[in-house]
Amino acid sequence: MSFLISILYNCAFIILGLWYIPLYIIKKKFSLGVFLEKLFIATGLKRKESIWFQAVSVGEVLAVKTLLHKIKEKFDYRIVVSTTTITGKKVADNIFGAWAEVIFFPFDITFVLRRAINIINPKLFVAVETEIWPNLFFLLKKRDVPIVILNGRISDKAYFKYKKIKFITKKVLSVCSYIGAQNDYYRKRFISIGAAPDKVHISGNIKFSSFDIKEDELSSFREKYINILKGEQNHLFIAASTHNPEERIVLGIFKELVLSFKINLLIVPRHPERAKEVEKDAASHGFSPVMVSTLGRKHVENSSGNVFILDTVGDLFYFYSLCDVCFVGGSLIDYGGHNILEPIYFRKPTVFGPYMNNFKKIEEVVLENEAAVKVKDRDELKFYIEKILLDDSFRKKLSGSALNVFKRQRQILEDNIEIITKYIS
């Protein structure tokens, strides 16, 4: 990047920051502490050679969970995990904090990045999914640090933005050592925004191999929650990763379900800070919702028709093991969907809506194996939830098909470890 362009980019970044940061603070997505960390003033890190992974938020952090454990076992380098969002950092702290350095991703401003790179001292930089940062990439290239993109994908929204600035993305992607796309669809997208075809490869979707279950933890978890959430012979319906107004849709359906079934509902808003808002929605539907964080302190009737709200970060995965039917949100509205593999991994009957733009390949594999149900609207969602609860053969068919989703995907993890090994050797 030329000196003039770098100055202009830095100025634009700072101006936009002055506009957005106050908004993020008001929305509680930012704080003074986060601001200082992103300026790389208050990280507490010491200079040491590292492998640096950047994972934007919760989904990306969970995607590399197993991969990072394997990398830790294979190499002696310090692992640094940076995230962009507060929720992403909380989850990363919970998963990696005992043995890795977890930080906020620094601002893409030259003087900030120089300090960050000096301290992190990366032997390799790995970006998870779609992370294109001009200043960072060019500074890493100057220091001969390999830049690898793994699990690469470009959403529709990002794709159209990148197409408009192809003259920039082409230069930025030119300094990457390796771009691993999830599939051929995304490989073509990377090439169309300027990536050199010989650098873009299909490395698979590591979300298929990102599950790391500790049986003792799972057993303790089930023992702690199963009686509270399910009671005696109750079904448990989980509505996961929901967005407004999906909670109200689910609550309306649940209000009808309790007339015919012994069933409880667990709502897991995608953003836990919305838990109070969801609590009000549940109350307006005539329920007395209970926050999961209060269980043990608050008495819950051992009966059906209870509504629970998961108001903590990064705890959803094991809750899937308890459910009898699951709806994965962000899909009844035009948000792009969320990861449907997690409940399917536990062989749980899973339903999702028509908007899965961010998970096209996963959706394709799941539907090819008939391991979940795609619905078009609220009425179909209600119909298939009832069908799953009533039709034992249909429910068993979905559960049995779930195993096929993961059979051909197990090699992906090893392939991605080999890629990292190649560029760190």
Side-chain angles (χ1 to χ4, degrees), residues 64-226:
V64 295
K65 179 180 177 181
T66 305
L67 176 67
L68 262 63
H69 277 95
K70 297 289 186 182
I71 295 299
K72 171 182 171 284
E73 293 170 2
K74 189 176 178 69
F75 298 102
D76 290 329
Y77 295 109
R78 174 178 66 176
I79 306 294
V80 174
V81 181
S82 60
T83 70
T84 305
T85 67
I86 292 174
T87 52
K89 186 171 186 296
K90 285 180 181 177
V91 173
D93 274 325
N94 289 338
I95 297 173
F96 310 123
W99 50 266
E101 300 287 357
V102 180
I103 61 172
F104 280 108
F105 185 69
F107 289 123
D108 197 43
I109 304 170
T110 303
F111 71 87
V112 174
L113 290 170
R114 283 186 178 139
R115 181 164 56 246
I117 293 169
N118 280 335
I119 295 172
I120 296 172
N121 194 17
K123 179 83 171 173
L124 171 69
F125 175 79
V126 180
V128 183
E129 298 204 357
T130 311
E131 287 291 283
I132 302 175
W133 296 100
N135 274 334
L136 175 64
F137 280 26
F138 285 115
L139 287 172
L140 289 172
K141 180 65 175 178
K142 280 184 180 179
R143 300 192 184 207
D144 294 320
V145 178
I147 301 165
V148 170
I149 295 176
L150 292 183
N151 219 48
R153 71 177 183 91
I154 303 175
S155 67
D156 292 344
K157 186 178 179 181
Y159 179 65
F160 292 118
K161 287 182 180 178
Y162 288 144
K163 286 283 282 184
K164 292 177 182 178
I165 55 169
K166 183 177 177 179
F167 66 97
I168 295 176
T169 58
K170 183 176 182 178
K171 289 183 178 180
V172 177
L173 293 173
S174 71
V175 303
C176 292
S177 306
Y178 181 97
I179 299 172
Q182 293 181 9
N183 51 55
D184 190 56
Y185 178 82
Y186 291 127
R187 184 186 72 86
K188 289 175 180 175
R189 281 198 163 184
F190 274 104
I191 293 170
S192 72
I193 64 169
D198 62 328
K199 288 188 176 182
V200 188
H201 309 270
I202 299 172
S203 60
N205 190 336
I206 57 177
K207 286 186 177 178
F208 283 100
S209 53
S210 62
F211 305 108
D212 180 26
I213 293 179
K214 295 179 175 61
E215 291 299 331
D216 55 338
E217 284 184 7
L218 179 59
S219 178
S220 297
F221 178 89
R222 290 177 61 85
E223 186 176 331
K224 179 179 179 180
Y225 287 109
I226 193 166

Side-chain angles (χ1 to χ4, degrees), residues 221-284:
F221 178 89
R222 290 177 61 85
E223 186 176 331
K224 179 179 179 180
Y225 287 109
I226 193 166
N227 289 330
I228 299 173
L229 296 182
K230 300 188 75 167
E232 294 181 6
Q233 299 180 329
N234 288 323
H235 296 291
L236 179 63
F237 170 25
I238 290 184
S241 298
T242 55
H243 296 255
N244 181 35
E246 289 175 322
E247 295 91 2
R248 292 195 294 276
I249 294 170
V250 166
L251 285 162
I253 292 172
F254 182 67
K255 194 165 185 176
E256 296 175 37
L257 292 175
V258 295
L259 300 176
S260 306
F261 301 94
K262 292 184 68 177
I263 188 168
N264 290 331
L265 171 65
L266 172 64
I267 301 178
V268 188
R270 179 64 177 179
H271 301 109
E273 62 268 23
R274 293 187 55 247
K276 288 292 183 183
E277 174 189 333
V278 177
E279 183 181 39
K280 290 178 182 177
D281 286 338
S284 71

Side-chain angles (χ1 to χ4, degrees), residues 67 71 148 150 178 202-206 209 408-423:
L67 176 67
I71 295 299
V148 170
L150 292 183
Y178 181 97
I202 299 172
S203 60
N205 190 336
I206 57 177
S209 53
R408 288 178 290 178
Q409 311 295 335
R410 289 172 184 162
Q411 186 59 36
I412 293 172
L413 179 64
E414 295 304 320
D415 292 345
N416 279 269
I417 291 171
E418 283 185 21
I419 293 163
I420 291 172
T421 302
K422 175 183 176 181
Y423 287 98

